[in-house]
Amino acid sequence: MKRKITLKQIAKELDVSVSTVSKSLKDSKEISKDTKEKVKAFAKLYNYKPNNIALSLKNRKTKTIGIIIPEIVHHFFTTVIRGIEKIAGDRGYNVIICLSNNSFDKEVLNLEFLANGSTDGFIMSVAKETQQKEDYHHIQEVISQGMPVVMFDRVIDEVICDKVIISDKHGAFEAVQYLIDHHCKKIAIISTVDYVSVGKLRTSGYKEALIANDFEIDEDLILKIEDVDHSEEKIEEFLKEKKIDGLFAVNEQFAVNAIKALTKLKKRVPEDVSVIGFTDGVVSKSFIPSLSTVNQHGEDMGAKAANLLIDRLENETEEQSFQTTVLDTSLIIRDSVRK
């Protein structure tokens, strides 16, 4: 008997990406005829069985929700999960949580695993690599076969489904406006690369606040980081030559690393430089000085996403238009800023 094989193993054996295998098996026009034939032949030889999502939907309900998140290190995602689990439990559903580690291939595999009859629908925040590749075929495939998806935080405009987001741009605007109102004249930002949607929106909010107050936008005061895990060195290098009195960071990790770097450079927070971050995590509260931050209200976001998904699952016969819910942020002022 031939061994069963997975999507990932086929990709490895044929030295192609998981996405190429997935698209080949679905006869996508994006893939060459030769590649499709090679993949299909290999899959048949090793008894690969694609998931039949539609069949599993017709035959049974699992009362289980699949959650796919890009990372677990950020406090924000743990609060979202808490919100989802509370609503799911109250309404008689279980949850399965998968981690993409910001990998496109891992996200594809997670969806494949969860769509094999284990779950009734998904709540997901897309991987950084998925946004970079702009390849959403795996999500579109799930939706086209009748499985509901709710996106939160990092969402894709091109995918038509329910979404729950915060006003990233407005949250950033308020943070920078606070710095300006408290006499900061040279305000830097530490952000992500632009293909990460939330980083781009928060950078836009920073710029809009500067323009609204007749400040010049100085590109030398904007740092965009791709490799988040090695941000400390880049932040320290960036701040070495900068004469700033205010700093806005688009996440908690960047803000904390910035304060560490400023301390190394013999600059005092907040006396010399006021710092505001994004995401009100445990670190923000316990760090010295405690970090002023924009609260994303992750638990509320998770609760709203869970209710949207379960409502859709339990009202399948009713025509429902898709909705995008925008939650408000709030600015929490602590010891890292001048008051």
Side-chain angles (χ1 to χ4, degrees):
M1 183 184 285
K2 292 183 179 72
R3 63 187 172 90
K4 286 190 178 180
I5 198 164
T6 66
L7 208 63
K8 191 174 182 179
Q9 287 168 326
I10 296 172
K12 188 178 178 183
E13 292 288 340
L14 298 179
D15 195 27
V16 294
S17 70
V18 169
S19 174
T20 297
V21 174
S22 176
K23 288 178 179 178
S24 295
L25 293 171
K26 295 176 180 76
D27 212 28
S28 169
K29 291 176 183 175
E30 293 176 46
I31 308 300
S32 71
K33 186 181 176 185
D34 285 351
T35 301
K36 283 192 278 192
E37 287 176 356
K38 184 169 67 171
V39 169
K40 286 176 182 177
F42 193 92
K44 186 177 180 182
L45 179 66
Y46 284 97
N47 197 28
Y48 173 74
K49 301 284 187 211
N51 297 316
N52 193 332
I53 299 166
L55 188 62
S56 72
L57 282 169
K58 282 178 189 171
N59 290 348
R60 65 191 180 94
K61 293 293 180 190
T62 65
K63 299 286 279 185
T64 300
I65 293 168
I67 305 171
I68 301 175
I69 57 171
E71 53 201 345
I72 203 69
V73 293
H74 285 175
H75 174 77
F76 167 68
F77 288 112
T78 64
T79 62
V80 173
I81 290 168
R82 192 186 306 139
I84 294 169
E85 286 201 309
K86 184 178 186 313
I87 296 300
D90 289 348
R91 297 185 67 172
Y93 283 74
N94 297 309
V95 302
I96 297 175
I97 302 163
C98 287
L99 190 64
S100 70
N101 279 325
N102 275 313
S103 159
F104 170 77
D105 283 354
K106 188 82 187 293
E107 187 175 273
V108 172
L109 294 170
N110 284 339
L111 270 175
E112 185 198 25
F113 164 70
L114 292 173
N116 69 359
S118 305
T119 59
D120 299 331
F122 299 102
I123 298 172
M124 67 183 298
S125 181
V126 298
K128 185 168 78 170
E129 206 172 71
T130 302
Q131 291 190 310
Q132 184 181 19
K133 285 175 177 286
E134 298 183 349
D135 185 345
Y136 319 124
H137 80 278
H138 53 304
I139 305 169
Q140 301 278 25
E141 166 87 12
V142 165
I143 292 169
S144 70
Q145 294 197 46
M147 207 165 198
V149 172
V150 177
M151 288 184 171
F152 72 93
D153 191 47
R154 293 187 200 163
V155 302
I156 305 298
D157 291 339
E158 294 87 343
V159 175
I160 308 301
C161 66
D162 293 313
K163 293 161 188 164
V164 187
I165 56 174
I166 58 161
S167 181
D168 285 287
K169 192 185 286 189
H170 180 68
F173 185 102
E174 280 199 322
V176 177
Q177 186 63 54
Y178 180 92
L179 294 173
I180 292 168
D181 289 344
H182 289 77
H183 314 297
C184 292
K185 303 294 182 194
K186 294 281 272 185
I187 303 167
I189 181 172
I190 302 173
S191 186
T192 60
V193 284
D194 281 348
Y195 61 74
V196 180
S197 57
V198 292
K200 187 176 181 179
L201 286 166
R202 291 169 197 173
T203 302
S204 180
Y206 157 84
K207 289 180 176 179
E208 285 185 13
L210 295 182
I211 292 166
N213 289 275
D214 297 321
F215 279 49
E216 244 181 70
I217 293 172
D218 183 350
E219 295 295 334
D220 286 342
L221 295 182
I222 299 173
L223 174 64
K224 294 180 181 178
I225 292 175
E226 183 158 26
D227 186 358
V228 175
D229 294 332
H230 298 94
S231 62
E232 214 161 330
E233 303 91 338
K234 289 189 184 302
I235 289 170
E236 188 174 341
E237 191 62 34
F238 171 72
L239 293 173
K240 258 181 193 171
E241 307 302 324
K242 301 290 184 289
K243 291 182 179 177
I244 61 170
D245 54 8
L247 188 143
F248 171 61
V250 302
N251 61 43
E252 186 178 66
Q253 184 180 343
F254 289 174
V256 167
N257 286 344
I259 293 174
K260 286 181 184 175
L262 289 165
T263 304
K264 259 192 201 180
L265 297 166
K266 310 295 185 198
K267 290 182 180 176
R268 299 166 303 162
V269 175
E271 292 85 354
D272 300 322
V273 184
S274 287
V275 178
I276 299 180
F278 217 103
T279 302
D280 186 32
V282 176
V283 175
S284 294
K285 295 166 190 150
S286 58
F287 196 72
I288 300 173
S290 57
L291 182 63
S292 300
T293 190
V294 179
N295 191 337
Q296 293 171 271
H297 302 293
E299 198 162 336
D300 293 344
M301 185 179 279
K304 181 63 181 176
N307 275 320
L308 276 173
L309 182 63
I310 294 169
D311 286 348
R312 199 165 283 283
L313 287 169
E314 294 184 351
N315 297 285
E316 286 181 317
T317 55
E318 294 177 23
E319 277 292 322
Q320 300 176 66
S321 58
F322 293 110
Q323 58 178 285
T324 296
T325 302
V326 183
L327 302 178
D328 290 331
T329 58
S330 55
L331 185 60
I332 298 172
I333 298 304
R334 296 197 180 97
D335 296 337
S336 65
V337 294
R338 295 188 292 278
K339 297 167 189 170

